[in-house]
Amino acid sequence: MLDEFLQIDLPAILVAVLASITCALLGSFLVLRKQALMGDALSHVVLPGIAVGFLLSGHINPLYMMGGALAACLVSVLLINMIKTWGKIEPGAAMGIVFTTMFALGIVLLETKIGSKVHLDAQHALYGALELTYWPEPGNLATLPHQIITLGALLILITIFIFLFFKELKITSFDPILATTMGFKTSHMNAALMTLVALTAVASFEAAGSIIVIAMFICPAATARMLCDDLKSQLYVAAMFGALSGLLGYILAALVPLWLGFEHSLSASGMIAVTAGFFQMIAMLFAPKYGALRN
């Protein structure tokens, strides 16, 4: 029983927690910038790039995934500008057109030869495969699932980035106009932040699917925003709720049904998103300062 937990459940929990924390940290700045749906958008845009990366490599290769995803983001930006300029369409509508089209293209690619070659399908893209994360030799770091290594490295990178550029991130998030007048390169900071958001979306996508990526970019950060007025505190609280959502969501989905005698478990990614949404609802109702039932 312990061996099964260490081989199957522990690595899945680590992936869920790491993905949730990385998304929650970056999501805190997206919420402040009123760009909360950017994580949603990127998770849609990167899908065809990931699919093409799979086609080129023939298997799940993080390097090809990242390259394909970033290329898809670049193509999306160009398409949005073309539609705005030539079609004279409002920017929000142009973004919606490109994001939904790119996601649909990714689904079509996965439902054809690409999906069969790399054992990836639309359900995998939406719900992820947390339950399939496997550590064959617990304790042997050489056999540690690559998803854990990738997400762990990305979490360290994001933590260092926030620590080094906290002042710049803070002022460009709260008052970009003031930041520009003070000489801060807001465009550079925005580009760096969006690059990390794209990398996080890709890194979380393969194991966790798009549902958890969308939920974790928004819910923990929005929950922390209801509870905190200080940015540092908000980051800590968002990371805490992200970790709790990943841990409790997986337990409720994968372990509790079996403990209760049911034959099948639930979708781990779906339950993690539901758990994050539950925390958000509780904060909206009972937050000491901003809760609806406290006014």
Side-chain angles (χ1 to χ4, degrees):
M1 197 66 171
L2 178 61
D3 288 341
E4 183 178 321
F5 174 79
L6 293 175
Q7 290 177 329
I8 300 174
D9 295 313
L10 179 61
I13 289 172
L14 289 175
V15 168
V17 169
L18 288 171
S20 298
I21 293 175
T22 52
C23 290
L25 288 174
L26 294 176
S28 296
F29 295 103
L30 295 179
V31 168
L32 288 174
R33 293 163 178 254
K34 296 181 173 58
Q35 296 177 324
L37 287 178
M38 187 57 69
D40 180 3
L42 288 175
S43 71
H44 285 66
V45 164
V46 299
L47 183 56
I50 291 174
V52 172
F54 283 146
L55 179 63
L56 294 176
S57 64
H59 58 91
I60 294 175
N61 186 313
L63 213 58
Y64 281 86
M65 287 167 57
M66 296 288 183
L70 291 175
C73 290
L74 216 83
V75 170
S76 298
V77 171
L78 293 175
L79 287 175
I80 290 170
N81 287 330
M82 287 171 58
I83 292 173
K84 284 193 301 182
T85 304
W86 295 346
K88 301 187 185 306
I89 293 177
E90 184 264 327
M95 291 173 65
I97 292 169
V98 172
F99 292 156
T100 52
T101 303
M102 292 289 282
F103 188 72
L105 174 62
I107 294 294
V108 169
L109 289 173
L110 292 182
E111 291 293 341
T112 54
K113 293 182 180 180
I114 294 176
S116 62
K117 284 184 177 181
V118 297
H119 306 291
L120 188 72
D121 54 23
Q123 183 176 351
H124 188 146
L126 291 172
Y127 306 123
L130 276 175
E131 298 85 352
L132 300 181
T133 309
Y134 184 69
W135 192 359
E137 300 176 31
N140 184 358
L141 296 180
T143 63
L144 193 68
H146 73 272
Q147 297 97 327
I148 297 176
I149 297 172
T150 302
L151 287 168
L154 191 57
L155 178 57
I156 293 172
L157 175 64
I158 290 170
T159 303
I160 293 172
F161 174 74
I162 293 174
F163 177 78
L164 292 178
F165 299 102
F166 180 77
K167 181 174 68 175
E168 289 84 351
L169 286 167
K170 184 176 182 178
I171 192 168
T172 54
S173 297
F174 280 104
D175 196 336
I177 297 176
L178 176 61
T180 303
T181 59
M182 293 176 65
F184 289 101
K185 300 292 185 181
T186 55
S187 59
H188 294 174
M189 195 54 55
N190 291 339
L193 182 63
M194 288 303 112
T195 300
L196 288 175
V197 169
L199 291 175
T200 299
V202 175
S204 304
F205 196 96
E206 184 248 315
S210 64
I211 288 178
I212 193 174
V213 174
I214 294 167
M216 287 306 153
F217 269 124
I218 300 174
C219 289
T223 301
R225 188 65 183 147
M226 295 291 297
L227 299 172
C228 306
D229 287 325
D230 176 70
L231 181 55
K232 282 186 179 179
S233 300
Q234 181 180 329
L235 290 172
Y236 288 124
V237 173
M240 181 191 73
F241 276 110
L244 278 176
S245 298
L247 177 61
L248 293 179
Y250 182 85
I251 291 173
L252 290 172
L255 301 180
V256 170
L258 300 180
W259 294 342
L260 294 177
F262 292 97
E263 186 177 350
H264 300 290
S265 299
L266 301 173
S267 165
S269 293
M271 185 56 72
I272 289 169
V274 169
T275 305
F278 175 76
F279 285 139
Q280 172 64 34
M281 182 182 69
I282 294 299
M284 290 171 61
L285 293 174
F286 302 107
K289 190 173 179 180
Y290 302 110
L293 300 182
R294 294 292 183 180
N295 296 327

